[in-house]
Amino acid sequence: MHTPPALSLRPPGARRVAVMGAGIVGLATAWQLQRDGFEVTVIDRQAPGQGASFGNGAQLSYAYVQPLADPSIWAQLPKLLLSRESPFSLRLRLDPAQWAWGLRFLAACRADVSARSTATLLALAEESREALQHLLADTRADCDFTASGKLVMYGSDASFAAARRQLDLQRALGGAEQHALSLAECLRIEPALAGSAARYVGGIHTPGECAADCARLCDALHGALQARGVRFVLGAPLGALRREGDRLLAVQAGGDWIEAEHFVAALGTGVAAFARQAGAHVPVYPLKGYSLTLDVPASDGLAPSVSVTDAQRKVVFARLGQRLRVAGLAELAGHDTRIESRRVEQLRRAAREVFPLACAGTEARPWAGLRPATPTGVPIIGRVDGAPANLLFNAGHGALGFTLAAGSARRLSRQLQGVADRPRGATALSRSAAGLAESSV
């Protein structure tokens, strides 16, 4: 597909930026920087989109951004840690980083922290929605993009009531249009749920939510950026750093030294080790997730057309053309990417139970990947204490990497251009969140 050249906004004496990482966050950053007039080099030890971007949940959840660090975790903790069917599992290791991250995560499971994180994520997600629209229009990427909305389904009155409280919080913060619906109303929106209707009491419907194939978008971005002069250094693991005082001069990639005026670390779960090498600390740790991709029948009413999340199982279902992406689970297990048959069967069972007519007997292609998560769920965008002054980070997006990538890239580019990185309304959102959290205690 022919990709039109972008209008060059490059100022005289344009600065060179090296973006380390070619997942969706790094590629979106490279696209934004190139659009804003920077000369960009992208570095990765793998091909573009081969890490957490490859088999993610495919949902673009601009409105449903509740962080994993939530007060409800405390009541759920025994079941989450002990049940073999838990959507979350902890595999303790002799790893100080794992223990430190876990303790910070538990410390963040408070109403005030969760409310502030929700406000921050909502503002970033809304910015990301607009930024991704520009990206898709500019690149004309063929990535099975749909804007068919999303249903989050709840299996108990208590969980549905908690979801309505979260909806009220997000509504007060100016979040996107959402509605609490009865089971009958949910079935009218998504008839394919009829086969599992007895499992649910109701749902939250967000009409404006979207879905897309992140791996295909990464492929499209790679091609578009190459056509526009962005340099890619692939298959090259990062090595030594060359510094002078408070500045990073070059990074070693394979046998090459890549020089630049600015560097961006968008390295996914590898960002913590890189930060240590650069003299800084970022609280990012892997959360292992799984997905299945199934071919589904074309007949209406069998497979969902709307994105669906089963809140109890914490499993998401996203339609990608004639495929269905089934994704979920979270394991705090270090950097282990092995695909465990027990977890694959857990997702298969969820698919058969929620959409029995579409998924029974269907061959599924399994995948496992590592989501780079901060304890609060809020990504790190910009400079970090202790790191060289010209090194910026764009990392720690957790399960919302696809959703937040374009907005994060826009914010990072503004920082490099010396433009204030706090979007309009963010201060008011944070104040509202703090007030709501205090009133709920």
Side-chain angles (χ1 to χ4, degrees), residues 124 173 221 248 375:
L124 180 56
L173 296 173
L221 277 170
L248 183 59

Side-chain angles (χ1 to χ4, degrees), residues 16-341:
R16 296 169 297 166
V17 182
V19 177
M20 296 168 284
I24 187 59
V25 173
L27 291 171
T29 301
W31 174 82
Q32 186 67 56
L33 291 173
Q34 192 276 332
R35 291 279 297 177
D36 290 341
F38 291 91
E39 296 178 0
V40 182
T41 298
V42 178
I43 307 165
D44 203 298
R45 62 186 178 85
Q46 301 183 94
Q50 293 301 300
S53 301
F54 185 81
N56 64 22
Q59 291 186 352
L60 293 158
S61 299
Y62 301 115
Y64 193 79
V65 296
Q66 183 177 9
L68 183 62
D70 180 84
S72 64
I73 287 290
W74 289 104
Q76 302 174 48
L77 204 55
K79 182 178 179 181
L80 289 175
L81 295 178
L82 300 176
S83 173
R84 285 180 59 83
E85 293 302 307
S86 169
F88 177 81
S89 68
L90 171 62
R91 196 185 311 159
L92 292 175
R93 305 169 62 90
L94 294 175
D95 180 1
Q98 183 193 56
W99 287 81
W101 189 95
L103 291 172
R104 292 183 68 168
F105 170 77
L106 291 174
C109 293
R110 305 197 319 262
D112 59 333
V113 176
S114 181
R116 286 196 300 270
S117 298
T118 297
T120 301
L121 292 170
L122 276 175
L124 180 56
E126 189 55 37
E127 186 170 3
S128 197
R129 180 199 297 273
E130 179 188 354
L132 185 64
Q133 289 173 350
H134 285 290
L135 185 155
L136 293 174
D138 177 51
T139 60
R140 302 179 187 177
D142 180 9
C143 58
D144 288 318
F145 177 85
T146 60
S148 55
K150 180 166 75 169
L151 280 167
V152 182
M153 302 298 297
Y154 296 89
S156 71
D157 291 330
S159 63
F160 193 27
R164 292 196 296 272
R165 289 193 294 272
Q166 178 71 11
L167 183 152
D168 290 340
L169 168 64
Q170 297 192 175
R171 186 175 289 155
L173 296 173
E177 178 186 1
Q178 292 182 291
H179 308 282
L181 303 182
S182 68
L183 177 58
E185 291 171 320
C186 292
L187 292 177
R188 282 197 289 272
I189 291 171
E190 184 46 80
L193 284 166
S196 58
R199 297 180 175 273
Y200 303 114
V201 299
I204 303 295
H205 180 225
T206 312
E209 300 287 60
C210 307
D213 188 322
C214 187
R216 288 188 178 181
L217 179 56
C218 288
D219 285 342
L221 277 170
H222 180 208
L225 290 170
Q226 278 190 312
R228 294 171 185 181
V230 171
R231 178 189 177 197
F232 281 82
V233 180
L234 302 175
L238 290 173
L241 308 181
R242 184 179 293 159
R243 298 179 61 161
E244 184 177 277
D246 195 34
R247 296 189 64 80
L248 183 59
L249 301 181
V251 297
Q252 188 179 31
D256 295 331
W257 282 94
I258 309 300
E259 298 179 346
E261 278 74 45
H262 296 280
F263 297 82
V264 177
L267 291 162
T269 56
V271 74
F274 178 81
R276 288 194 297 272
Q277 186 180 3
H281 170 73
V282 294
V284 173
Y285 198 78
L287 282 180
K288 183 178 180 180
Y290 288 82
S291 76
L292 305 174
T293 304
L294 307 89
D295 297 322
V296 294
S299 305
D300 290 341
L302 299 183
S305 58
V306 173
S307 289
V308 172
T309 297
D310 184 302
Q312 180 178 353
R313 295 178 177 86
K314 291 183 169 50
V315 173
V316 303
F317 303 85
R319 184 72 174 266
L320 300 171
Q322 288 308 121
R323 297 169 296 144
L324 184 67
R325 178 68 50 78
V326 184
L329 311 179
E331 295 182 355
L332 197 64
H335 292 265
D336 178 11
T337 58
R338 291 174 297 179
I339 298 176
E340 295 187 16
S341 58

